[in-house]
Amino acid sequence: MEEGKKVILFDGVCNLCNSSVQFVIKRDRKDMFRYTALQSEVGQQMIKERGIDTSQVDSIILIEPGVAYYTKSDAALKIGQSFGGGYVLLAIFTWIPKSIRDAIYDFVARNRYKWFGKQESCMIPTPELKAKFLG
């Protein structure tokens, strides 16, 4: 793992999740993120090391190695705020109680396959992006 990089674990077969990863890659001008699917060996190892219950969180996890990990709406907001510029205004959503933010997040997560579809296998990154993906 590269020093100072944060890891985004995502559902590798979810179309919404894959689109979200592409969104982040395009805005990650500081090259601070690395990516791995929840279903990958690396993803499973990171989940196990942190004792994360994937029956409660199955769509996005942000890991800052040696610091902390974030799930659900906290992860999404932290990722968005890292882009800088107008995205820092996402901080306003942290004023909404986490329970409410996560309830909305969970509603979308429960319906993501129905609304956005699902792939048979995890996304395969292009050769240019391969270095950003772990495992």
Side-chain angles (χ1 to χ4, degrees), residues 38-100:
L38 291 165
Q39 298 88 343
S40 71
E41 283 184 40
V42 173
Q44 288 296 303
Q45 178 183 348
M46 293 178 130
I47 289 165
K48 185 178 178 184
E49 287 171 353
R50 287 157 183 84
I52 299 170
D53 180 359
T54 54
S55 70
Q56 300 295 314
V57 180
D58 69 344
S59 55
I60 189 170
I61 301 168
L62 172 64
I63 296 175
E64 292 187 42
V67 179
Y69 70 86
Y70 307 92
T71 60
K72 299 184 181 189
S73 64
D74 283 343
L77 290 172
K78 286 266 187 200
I79 293 165
Q81 289 172 306
S82 73
F83 303 148
Y87 290 100
V88 298
L89 296 175
L90 290 170
I92 201 164
F93 290 107
T94 61
W95 295 350
I96 298 170
K98 180 175 172 44
S99 60
I100 294 171

Side-chain angles (χ1 to χ4, degrees), residues 7 19 26-27 91 108 112 117 123-124 130:
V7 181
S19 295
K26 288 179 184 168
R27 287 155 185 80
V108 173
R112 68 187 186 272
M123 172 182 78
I124 299 174
K130 198 159 183 79

